[in-house]
Structure formats: structure tokens, C-alpha cells
Amino acid sequence: MNTVRVFISENVKELLQFLRSISFSKAIRVGIAVTLPAVIGGQLGYLEIGMALSFGAFWSSPSDVIGSFRHKKFGILFSALLVMIASFIKGYLHFELWLLLPVLGFITFAIALISVYGFRASLISFSGLMAFVLSFSLESELEIYQYALLLGAGGLWYLLLSKAWYRINPKAETEEFLSETYLLTAEFIETRGKLLDPHEDHVKLQSQLLKLQSDLTTNHETLREILILSRKASGWSNYQNNRLLIFAQLIEMLETAIANPVNYDRMDALFKAHPQYVKRFQDLIFEMSSQLRKISEAGNDLRKLPKNAPMTQCFENVKLEVNLLRETEYYEEYLMLQNLLEYQEKQSEKLKRIKRLLDPTIDETNFIDRKKARRFIAPQDYDPMLYFRSFSFKSTIFRHSVRLAVTVMIGYALGSIFAFQNPYSILLIIVVIMRPSFGLTRNRAKDRMIGTLLGGAIAFGVVFLIQDPYVFGIMGVISLVIAISLVQKNYKASATFITLSVVFIYAILIPDVLGLIKFRILDTLVGAGLSYMAMLWLWPAWEFVEIKESIEKSVQANKDFLHKITEYYQRKGNIPTSYDIARKQAFLETSNLSSAFQRMTQEPKSKQREMDKVYELVVLNHNFLASLASLSTYIKHYDTTEASERFKTATENIEKNLEQVLQCLKDKTCSGVDALSKNDRLLEAPLPTFNSLEISNLGSTDKETVRGLQETHLVWEQLEWLFSISRKMLKLAKSVNLD
């Protein structure tokens, strides 16, 4: 009985969370924008005008995605403009099939290539393609120019509604994305905690960790845009500054975790000999993870924020156990556990500060310089010449645009030649399903087919039992709202509800519902099949080719970050903004590399070339960044001595290795590069080794000496590790073939 109660409680909680989400909020907004003009127009006897406004609002809505409202506004405006132009052009395309096909292909290509300007531009492009394709099905009594202008007015109507919606609750996106960041960070910390158990599957958990790190970095980029690019509003700047500070703590939690990599082989040996420490540390780590989840659930309700007492008790338990090792022969083990404990203390301080920042009664005087913060947002290049510079088969977007144009021409030809009810329906399926990457296109094709079959079966049953057109209208709008809200979360379910919506709305106008469902399923199968085959045979963009560029960018970003660390270590003083930007870029490019590798795993086995070597390069890049982050954290938080000539020589050697890696990746013959030098040592004369026990036994009068030795030991250990990784990367770059 308790199990059933828990199950119901969890599902109710998920449902309430879904109903409060910005995805559902946007779906309601689109539902209102589409329904209201059509209903009012129908009541006043101007149904044609009302429908045009509804279509314009619907086609302009895709670019209304997460981000600053300024970007949304321009996205919706450009979508409305493109919808007008596409619809206006289609109005004059009354040609024979042989002439219509190349014109159709050319216009599809021209609109699709707009995606070269970034993610939001790809959504504007999608709006234009939808308007162009669906215009084939619309026969209006209005003049062509009148209909096009009304579509544009529909886009403006949607923009006004979005603006009003934003004014009502301007904090919704910030709070939801912060909540999601809390949960992802909690899962990241929990996964690291599970890795402490020597009996867990470390390979599987490490893979999950890389995926979570990539998701967190993507999430951080979106949240950074929302917080930094949003304009100040009266009475809201303090709130925004507060959330920026919380966001900074969450970023530091991720970077601190990466900067403190655990040697799990040594830890496994230690925990097998002393298994009691596994539970103590896991209790502490899982408590911090649990507190982040509770903060996510609490939102702005201070009463629901977790207390510090449970976490403090976990720390006391760990300290008590760890101190027992101090006076034993296991001093090396004690140092390992002490370092792990100090890392957990750093994380707990950030967690406590997040809770303090959530309390509006506490005044935080740390204000973030917004001008400096804006430098962390990578500006999108909107140079008009970029569109024409993309005319090359080396460009993924260009190949996708050509592939889409050819597939649309084939789809329309098949739909016109054979007895298809609506050829435009095949085009719509192709436009919706086909994406630049094979994995995403395959998944969307499969989900679309399953969703359409399910939706068709359910719709047939409902229409068979119910004959009321008003009920069909209500169910059609409800299905549309649910479909839009599920597009990003569950595409299969979204496709099911889209099918339901289409059938219910057409059931009002067309008596032959069974024929409609049959052709809907047939159109989906043909469109999905054509999309899948096009991805296989028409200028395919296999990730084993694209991933080389991702590796190069990641190596270059790590090299730049190392250079900034070297400069700061030599000059000291205040940390320049360029240093933080280089660090952010290194994390971002490493995350992009992980995402590229994930896409590669979704492709056919025959196209997963050099998989083991690519995976090793991905892992080495992550390890290199982890070591850089560890070195960065140390020199930022401790007063360091003057950089020695050995330090300069060592960093130069590492940078030289990375430069050679880049040359090898660009030129697979590595011509002119001594890629496999026999000298695998960082310096000709190695530094003396340092024993941590000997350092600790130096008297308190030798504090400066101790600090100097510890600094030398830590910095040199990281440099040796960086050099070792760079050598391994160089050998792999020499042998891997990604052309």
C-alpha cells in the first residue's frame, strides 16, 4: 500500500511540475494565439482573416525559445517576415510539375541555409519552411498580398501575447533553469560519490559523468544568456544580481569537482583495506546532493530550504574517522582522505552560500560587473556574407540544405505522381524530421512513425465513439497544447498528440476520417523513409569526419587556457577577465567534444571509424582540462612564489606538444613534426621527489619552507601529468585517421 501511495505521490508531483514548466506555459500561449483569432473571426463572419492570423501566429512561434527576451523578440519578428515572404512567393507558384520541382528545391535550399547563423536562426528557418510547405494546402479567397500581410500580422499578435506573458512572470525561465541546474549538479555530485565504491561499475559511471558534464555546460550557456543579456527592470536588478551570484556558485561547484579528480585506482585499494570510509564519505556526498535537490524543490519558499545540521553531522563523522589514521602507519592514506575531505568542505561552503543568497533578508555586497559578464557571451556572427561563404560542401549546414532540398523535390514528385491525398503532407514530415545529424534524424523518424500510428489508432477510436464537432474542436486544441509542450521532452508522445490534433480538427470539416488517418500514416511512412535514406546516401555528414574539428577546438581551447595560467602565474596580481573567458571556453569546447562523441555513437557501426582512439582522445582532453583546472584553482587561491625558469620551460614544452597535436590533426602525415620523439621527459634534469611525510615533519618554524615545498610538489606534479597527457595525445593524433 505504501508503494502505491509513493508511486501516486511521485507521479502527481511530476504532473504538477510539468504544468508549471515553461514548456507547458509556451504551449498554452501558442494555443491561445492560434485559437482566439480563428474563433473571433468565425463569430464575426471573417473566418478567412481569423485563420490567416492563427496560421501566422503558429508559424512564428518556434523561435520563442529559452533566452533573453530581446533575442526572442527579434526571432519572432524575423520569423513573421520570412513567413510573409515564403507565403507570398508560394502564391505565384502555379507551374507544371517539371518546372515547379526545381523552384521548390531552390526555395527550400535558400530558406534552410539561414540556419548557418545559429540555433535561433535555424528555428526562424524552420518557420519559413513550414509556412512555405503548408501554403501548398491553403486555398484562400483573399488576395495573395493580403493573405501574406495577415500572416505577418499574426506573427505580431503572437509577439504581443509573448510580451504580455513575459511581463506577468519575468522570472519564470530563470527559476526553471536554475532548478534544472541544481538537479543536474546534484546528479553530478551523486555520481562522483558512487564512484568511491570499489564494487561499482566505474566505466559506466565515468561515461555518465562525461554526459552530465556536457549537459551542465550546455545548461550553463543558456542560463548565462538569460541572466547576463536580460535588461534591468525596475525593482528587478537586485534579484537578477542575486541569481547571477547563485549561478556563479553552481559553476564553481562543477569546476571545483573537475579540478579535484580522484585517483580511483588508489582509492579502490584504500577503501578495500578500510571499507568503513566508503559509507562515511558517501553519506556526506549524498547529503550534499540531496540538499541541492531540496533547494530545487523549494524554489523561493525559504521554509523548505534544507538545514545545515545534517551536513554538519556528516562532516563530523568523516573527520572523526579520518583523524584516526593520522597517528598510524597509514599516513599516505590519511593525506588522500584529508585532501578528499578538504574538497568536500569547499563544495559545502558553496552550497551554504547558495542558501544564504536565496534568503532576500541577507544583503550580499558582491555585485557582478555586467560589462565584464557580457564578455562571457559568445557573439553570433550575423555578417550577410557568411550566408554566401557557406556555399561549400565542407559546411555541414550547406550539405543539410542541399540534402533537404533534393528530398523535398523527390517527396513532392512522389506525392503528385502517385495517388496521395496531400503531397504537401509528405513535405511537412520531411521538414520536421530531417536534421543535420544522422542520429537525430533516425530517432525522430522512428519516433514520428510510432507516434503517428499510436495517434491514428487512438483518434479512430475516439471519432468512432464521438460525433460532436464541438468536442472535436476542444480536443484538437488540447492535443495541440500537449503536443507543443512535449516536443523537447518526449518527441514520440508529441507526435502522437500532433496526430490526434490534426485528426480532430479535420474531423470537423471532413467526414471521411478513416481515409484521413490512412493517408496521414502513409504520408508519415513515406516522409520518414525518404528522410532516413537521404541521410544515408545524399552527402551524409558522418560524425567521424566532423569530430576532428571538435577535437581541434578542444585542444586549442585547452592550450589557450594553459597559456593564460602560465601568464598569471608569472605576473600575479588580479585575475584578468580574459583568464576567466579562456577557462570558460575550455570547459565549453570539451563539453562540445563529448556531445560530438555521443552523436558518433548513434551512427551505424560501419561509420564509427577509429572509435577507440577517438574515445581515448576525448578522455585525454577531459583529463587535461581537469589537471588545468586543478592548477588554476591552486594558483588563484594561494600566494605563490616567483615562477622559475623550469616552470616556463615546462609549460613551453607542453604547449609545443599541443601545437604538434593540432598540426597532426590538420595534416595526417604530420609533415615537419617530430611527433614521436624518444624524449618523453618534461625536462632534461628532473626535479627531486618530495615525500609528503617528510614535508609534514618539518617544524612549525619552517612554514615558508613547507609552503614552498608543497607548492613545488603540487605544481610540478600537475605539470608532469599535463606533459604526460599531451604526449599521449600526440601519439594518438599521429596514428588516428579521421579523413
Side-chain angles (χ1 to χ4, degrees), residues 364-424:
E364 283 281 346
T365 55
N366 271 341
F367 279 79
I368 293 177
D369 187 329
R370 198 169 292 265
K371 288 184 180 179
K372 287 184 179 179
R374 282 179 181 272
R375 293 180 61 189
F376 287 87
I377 303 294
Q380 176 64 50
D381 182 7
Y382 291 113
D383 181 359
M385 292 308 297
L386 178 62
Y387 186 89
F388 299 101
R389 288 201 299 268
S390 301
F391 277 61
S392 166
F393 278 99
K394 292 182 179 179
S395 165
T396 303
I397 298 299
F398 179 82
R399 290 206 302 274
H400 167 68
S401 301
V402 175
R403 188 188 309 122
L404 181 63
V406 172
T407 311
V408 162
M409 287 191 289
I410 295 171
Y412 193 77
L414 289 174
S416 300
I417 294 170
F418 297 100
F420 284 86
Q421 190 179 51
N422 297 305
Y424 76 87

Side-chain angles (χ1 to χ4, degrees), residues 13-29:
K13 187 186 292 185
E14 285 185 16
L15 177 61
L16 291 174
Q17 188 176 354
F18 170 70
L19 294 176
R20 288 196 297 263
S21 69
I22 51 179
S23 298
F24 187 73
S25 175
K26 180 194 171 180
I28 293 289
R29 190 160 65 245

Side-chain angles (χ1 to χ4, degrees), residues 22 37 74 92 106 124 174 227 276 287 290 306 380 486 506 514 524 528 548 562 583 587 598 614 634 644 655 715 728:
I22 51 179
F74 283 116
Y92 291 98
F106 173 77
I124 295 171
T174 302
L227 289 168
Q276 69 274 20
E287 175 59 30
S290 174
Q380 176 64 50
L486 290 173
Y506 271 87
L514 182 59
T524 299
K548 185 170 80 165
L562 172 61
R583 181 188 63 186
F587 276 90
Q598 291 296 325
V614 170
Y634 182 83
S644 65
E655 285 193 44
V715 172
K728 289 177 183 177

Side-chain angles (χ1 to χ4, degrees), residues 258 261 622-632 718 721-722 725:
I258 295 171
H622 274 271
N623 291 342
F624 193 91
L625 178 59
S627 187
L628 282 179
S630 181
L631 185 60
S632 169
Q718 293 300 332
W721 181 231
L722 288 168
I725 295 172

Side-chain angles (χ1 to χ4, degrees), residues 538-608:
L538 297 179
W539 307 282
W542 301 118
E543 202 60 48
F544 76 84
V545 177
E546 306 296 329
I547 203 168
K548 185 170 80 165
E549 184 180 353
S550 298
I551 296 171
E552 288 175 7
K553 287 182 177 179
S554 182
V555 172
Q556 184 63 55
N558 281 336
K559 180 173 173 286
D560 293 341
F561 187 26
L562 172 61
H563 186 71
K564 290 297 179 183
I565 290 173
T566 305
E567 281 186 348
Y568 177 71
Y569 191 74
Q570 292 179 37
R571 296 176 184 175
K572 317 298 183 190
N574 295 325
I575 299 171
T577 306
S578 59
Y579 177 99
D580 290 328
I581 292 173
R583 181 188 63 186
K584 172 246 179 185
Q585 195 63 27
F587 276 90
L588 178 61
E589 293 299 345
T590 304
S591 170
N592 290 341
L593 176 57
S594 292
S595 299
F597 180 75
Q598 291 296 325
R599 291 194 297 272
M600 189 175 178
T601 60
Q602 296 174 352
E603 295 181 345
K605 294 288 184 184
S606 60
K607 302 301 178 182
Q608 294 178 4

